[in-house]
Amino acid sequence: MKLAITGKGGVGKTTLASTLARLYADEGRTVLAADVDPDANLGLALGLSQEEVDSIVPISKMRALVEERTGATDANRFYKLNPYVADIPEKYSKDINGVKLLVSELAGVEPKMLRTLVMGTVDVGGSGCVCPEHVMLKSILAALTFRKDDVVIMDMEAGLEHLGRGTASNMDQFIVVIEPGARSVQTYRNVKRLAKDLGVKQVRVVANKVRDESDEAFVRETIPAEDLLGCIHYNPDVINADRQGKSPYDFSPQAIDEIRQIKAILDREEN
């Protein structure tokens, strides 16, 4: 099971990613959750304290490691495009509530290169930057997809830039978290179009912050039935968990039940 959770900022990607990860971990599955968002907060959602999160050094900021594996230095800008990374998930992940957390965001990319990543639109999936940090990240995430019996969940950055870089091109499917609104639906359509360029055949939708029957009707009218995994209703418990920097898994039985139903669909398809 290899899932990339994506969508616009603030729609609830991390709530879904962290809860799915903990549900699978509770079953005894080996779960590796990768936080690929520069605004990394998956650790908090999994149950780490703020101090523990602050102590984590993202892979992309481990300059010595990047140089060692890619051969790239200030004096040598020629580097390996396929560095050895198979050992990194075990060596550099942090265990929390049965989940192995790997923080591998692109916050360490040189500012000039980062501007290149985020300016403009993404027209074709996979047509993004090539820099040592990105090569390292992409190699690590690709290695995760070969962990045949493990559950791998990637909490992606907001927007579509990761699709331009092809970061999640080997995932089984993308899950786009949306809110009941036209802009979120447009994001789903853009992700589906770009994912096709990467060879990702399944792009599914979870509607979050659904308030009432009219919201749910809007979602069902605009999202094809075969793409809709389910709905998570607006829930003050999830907001309270976020305010306190706690895991929603420990605060909201209703959200857990709704996400468990989504997981049941994924499980049936896996088997």
Side-chain angles (χ1 to χ4, degrees), residues 51-191:
E51 292 75 16
E52 290 172 313
V53 169
D54 291 341
S55 71
I56 297 174
V57 179
I59 299 296
S60 57
K61 287 188 176 181
M62 296 180 182
R63 188 168 184 81
L65 180 64
V66 173
E67 290 181 356
E68 173 199 337
R69 298 302 175 93
T70 66
T73 65
D74 290 337
N76 176 28
R77 297 307 291 175
F78 294 96
Y79 49 85
K80 299 175 184 176
L81 296 180
N82 57 342
Y84 177 73
V85 296
D87 61 328
I88 286 178
E90 298 300 335
K91 284 186 177 180
Y92 295 98
S93 62
K94 189 174 185 68
D95 291 331
I96 175 66
N97 288 318
V99 178
K100 294 182 180 296
L101 172 66
L102 185 68
V103 179
S104 50
E105 44 92 346
L106 278 174
V109 175
E110 299 170 4
K112 179 173 68 175
M113 183 61 72
L114 189 57
R115 286 197 294 272
T116 302
L117 295 180
V118 299
M119 292 177 63
T121 59
V122 179
D123 295 321
V124 180
S127 59
C129 88
V130 178
C131 55
E133 294 85 357
H134 170 55
V135 166
M136 189 79 169
L137 170 61
K138 189 172 180 180
S139 296
I140 293 168
L141 299 185
L144 296 181
T145 66
F146 291 106
R147 300 169 70 102
K148 182 178 179 181
D149 297 323
D150 297 350
V151 176
V152 177
I153 298 174
M154 296 185 191
D155 186 11
M156 308 303 294
E157 63 192 281
L160 303 177
E161 284 75 23
H162 58 307
L163 293 175
R165 294 193 299 272
T167 302
S169 57
N170 293 326
M171 303 304 281
D172 293 331
Q173 61 180 289
F174 291 161
I175 298 179
V176 187
V177 182
I178 69 167
E179 295 177 348
R183 285 175 291 184
S184 267
V185 172
Q186 185 61 39
T187 296
Y188 146 72
R189 290 171 178 161
N190 287 335
V191 170

